[in-house]
Amino acid sequence: MSRGRKNSRMFLGLDSSTQSLTAVLINPASGEIVCQLSVNFGAELPQYGSPSGFIPGGTDGEVHADPSMWLEALDLLFSRLAVATDLAKVEMIAGSGQQHGSVYLDATFDARLAALHPAQNLADQVTPALTRQTSPIWMDTSTGPECAEITAALGGPAEVCRRSGSIAIERFTGPQIRRFYKNDPAAYARTGRIHLVSSFIASVIAGKSVPIDYGDGAGMNLLNLATLDWDNDLLDATAPDLRGKLPAPAAANTLQGTVSPYFVEKFGLSRTCRCALFTGDNPASLVGMGATTPGNIVISLGTSDTFFAAMPGPKTDPNGFGHVFGNPAGGFMSLICFRNGSLAREALRDRLGLDWPTFDGAPQVAREAAGSNLMLPFFGPEITPRHDFTGPVLQGAPEFESGTQPALQVRALLEGQFLNMRLHSQWMEVKAERIRLTGGASKNDGIPQLVADVFQAPVERLAVTNSAALGAALIAATAAGHDLSSLQQKFCQASPGSALQPDPALGPVYQDALCRFAVLLEAALRP
Ligand code: XUL
């Protein structure tokens, strides 16, 4: 291959998240991000009635999304990429998906993928294979009884956690599969393939059913982390004949052959463009944030907030809130998910009638009140800790509790969110040496400074905002032989001037606030 051609090789990362589908295209030789594009489901595909990426109004805790919407977004994204860039230069594609969500397909799925016709669209050609019209996603909390049944069959939560890295969790795929099997056994019997969101999109791109990677597979309560295979007892406790319906588990950088001719003919990808596996959005983000080695903590402030880190060795959360997923760079990562992320920030902002810049700046306005007022920051049901909260709990000065000084409430909400993270991440026993912060709420300095102060650790932000799609692009380049740490040196640097240092004077203040927060929380959780 000529030097010029080698230097223009590009790698594409896709991220199918809750609210949007994003592409990041990188050129490792120049160290450039060549193109970044996104399709927002709610705004650009309003016909699916899913303003936030899922179908509103589900009952009994059900939260589903329409897989046709993801397919239509894929067509739309590739048609835009074909205009914005030369897709023929893409050598490898990898990707990520919102974790835990599942897609149910009949025995015709593979034949349909093999016969995709570029004159028609993906949704019309693929969705006739669905045996369940909509997909449960990670926000779904409907599977309490199924979690209890799986737990009982295995002899207790500790055993489920020891094998799969998490106790049985409502949003995890195994309990969701069990609920489908119990509610509609005939449709379950017709199901020949069950994919995660990540492996579903990867299969469409590869033109055949591809494996589930260890990173995302570990979010199913089905993968045995010691053997890296589906666990027979967990399979049996979940639903009959399940092994035959699941793709095999495999490492994220396993190659899957070349891209489907559909994408070659329709969008101009090269016939030699290859596909690596897709992983979960959090494992991909670990890569994109340059945090695949221990010592770095990532906090992602999104619809849900997540707190994750590469693990030096295997360890599970004795309280069952934390999870262990595969680290795409090898080994494992821990993750804790907090449902009341932006959900709570936006609820308080609206309740106080503030705009976002005022909200974001409020912690610094009320700096002298650090650690003095407490808020349990839950505007709806929470998963860490698991409880059906109906609103926040406030404890502090009268002007704080009455809301006459909105900045005090904003500060206490954010402090509450980060104190709750500190409290529930203690099991990891990792000292936060450096926190890399990402997500919409991390842009200005107000909230990041508060994170630095509460955790007493320096905070950095990266120039790239789409860390999962960037991580996927890095996984694609790694699968083609590039060295991950050199790629991370190029693509995952903190943006200049973004580092914030903690104020050491606030160390004891937040140590004390953490104890008071734990006491208030315990009282709220007491039956
Ligand atoms: C992680 C989780 C969420 C989704 C969001 O366990 O449920 O972070 O991955 O996309």
Side-chain angles (χ1 to χ4, degrees):
M1 188 181 292
S2 77
R3 195 168 166 73
R5 183 152 149 58
K6 197 170 169 205
N7 284 347
S8 61
R9 286 174 1 176
M10 299 198 291
F11 296 88
L12 178 60
L14 301 175
D15 175 44
S16 181
S17 73
T18 316
Q19 309 218 24
S20 55
L21 176 70
T22 299
V24 168
L25 190 62
I26 60 166
N27 177 340
S30 67
E32 256 179 307
I33 291 184
V34 180
C35 176
Q36 293 193 69
L37 286 177
S38 238
V39 171
N40 183 284
F41 304 136
E44 300 185 66
L45 300 171
Q47 62 274 32
Y48 290 97
S50 303
S52 301
F54 56 87
I55 302 156
T59 50
D60 301 327
E62 274 195 356
V63 182
H64 284 216
D66 189 338
S68 321
M69 177 180 78
W70 300 330
L71 292 171
E72 197 164 334
L74 203 56
D75 268 328
L76 189 55
L77 185 74
F78 269 97
S79 64
R80 289 187 187 161
L81 280 169
V83 172
T85 184
D86 181 3
L87 283 176
K89 290 184 179 155
V90 177
E91 185 176 322
M92 179 89 68
I93 303 179
S96 63
Q98 53 173 309
Q99 294 200 251
H100 318 298
S102 42
V103 185
Y104 299 75
L105 302 140
D106 67 17
T108 69
F109 179 55
D110 269 68
R112 287 178 185 282
L113 292 185
L116 287 175
H117 199 290
Q120 294 168 41
N121 66 38
L122 289 173
D124 287 348
Q125 297 183 85
V126 176
T127 49
L130 292 172
T131 55
R132 192 180 194 181
Q133 292 315 304
T134 55
S135 292
I137 66 159
W138 64 275
M139 297 169 84
D140 191 299
T141 54
S142 66
T143 63
E146 289 73 21
C147 287
E149 288 157 5
I150 292 168
T151 306
L154 267 288
E159 187 55 19
V160 180
C161 190
R162 190 184 68 76
R163 293 183 190 219
S164 75
S166 303
I167 62 165
I169 299 283
E170 286 84 345
R171 69 186 188 285
F172 277 37
T173 323
Q176 292 291 343
I177 294 173
R178 180 162 179 78
R179 181 171 153 92
F180 178 51
Y181 156 69
K182 282 169 57 188
N183 288 353
D184 195 346
Y188 175 78
R190 275 202 316 281
T191 303
R193 266 282 167 262
I194 301 175
H195 273 292
L196 292 180
V197 177
S198 59
S199 62
F200 173 64
I201 306 283
S203 299
V204 171
I205 290 177
K208 61 177 186 193
S209 265
V210 302
I212 288 179
D213 99 295
Y214 302 141
D216 214 9
M220 299 174 79
N221 281 141
L222 289 172
L223 188 75
N224 185 310
L225 296 187
T227 62
L228 292 176
D229 189 13
W230 304 127
D231 182 286
N232 284 330
D233 296 327
L234 287 167
L235 289 172
D236 289 348
T238 301
D241 306 321
L242 185 50
R243 184 180 281 275
K245 298 178 197 286
L246 291 175
N253 57 3
T254 319
L255 296 183
Q256 295 310 313
T258 49
V259 71
S260 154
Y262 176 90
F263 292 90
V264 175
E265 287 159 37
K266 194 160 185 165
F267 304 115
L269 280 158
S270 158
R271 254 169 231 296
T272 58
C273 172
R274 291 177 295 166
C275 315
L277 283 188
F278 282 31
T279 186
D281 54 358
N282 295 297
S285 206
L286 188 78
V287 177
M289 293 298 289
T292 38
T293 47
N296 305 295
I297 301 282
V298 179
I299 296 178
S300 167
L301 302 174
T303 312
S304 67
D305 289 345
T306 49
F307 180 103
F308 53 91
M311 296 174 88
K315 194 170 197 346
T316 49
D317 180 1
N319 296 313
F321 297 124
H323 313 301
V324 179
F325 299 146
N327 174 347
F332 296 98
M333 65 180 281
S334 51
L335 176 137
I336 315 169
C337 184
F338 302 85
R339 199 169 188 273
N340 280 271
S342 302
L343 225 63
R345 290 184 286 274
E346 283 163 18
L348 183 65
R349 181 200 60 191
D350 296 346
R351 189 184 277 191
L352 295 173
L354 303 177
D355 59 14
W356 181 253
T358 316
F359 184 92
D360 193 56
Q364 300 316 321
V365 173
R367 205 169 157 74
E368 75 294 342
S372 57
N373 301 303
L374 289 181
M375 187 186 295
L376 301 183
F378 312 113
F379 282 71
E382 178 51 57
I383 50 184
T384 310
R386 193 164 301 112
H387 190 71
D388 272 339
F389 290 100
T390 49
V393 176
L394 278 63
Q395 185 187 76
E399 64 279 18
F400 160 67
E401 291 195 6
S402 66
T404 45
Q405 289 188 32
L408 292 180
Q409 288 205 356
V410 177
R411 185 165 183 109
L413 170 94
L414 295 163
E415 285 177 342
Q417 289 186 316
F418 302 127
L419 287 171
N420 191 46
M421 274 184 195
R422 229 182 107 169
L423 189 65
H424 288 97
S425 58
Q426 281 171 347
W427 65 275
M428 292 182 192
E429 287 176 1
V430 287
K431 163 89 186 85
E433 301 291 348
R434 178 175 73 169
I435 296 174
R436 289 200 143 178
L437 202 58
T438 182
S442 68
K443 286 197 185 90
N444 299 333
D445 282 355
I447 295 176
Q449 183 60 54
L450 200 87
V451 174
D453 291 339
V454 171
F455 281 91
Q456 287 292 295
V459 164
E460 291 178 358
R461 285 152 288 168
L462 303 196
V464 175
T465 44
N466 299 311
S467 56
L470 172 63
L474 298 183
I475 291 172
T478 315
H482 284 268
D483 172 58
L484 180 59
S485 63
S486 337
L487 288 170
Q488 287 174 326
Q489 290 288 331
K490 282 187 187 169
F491 288 98
C492 312
Q493 288 307 315
S495 41
S498 79
L500 296 170
Q501 296 303 322
D503 176 353
L506 292 179
V509 171
Y510 283 119
Q511 191 56 44
D512 176 65
L514 185 66
C515 298
R516 289 185 291 116
F517 182 89
V519 170
L520 186 63
L521 185 59
E522 210 178 289
L525 296 178
R526 221 172 284 139

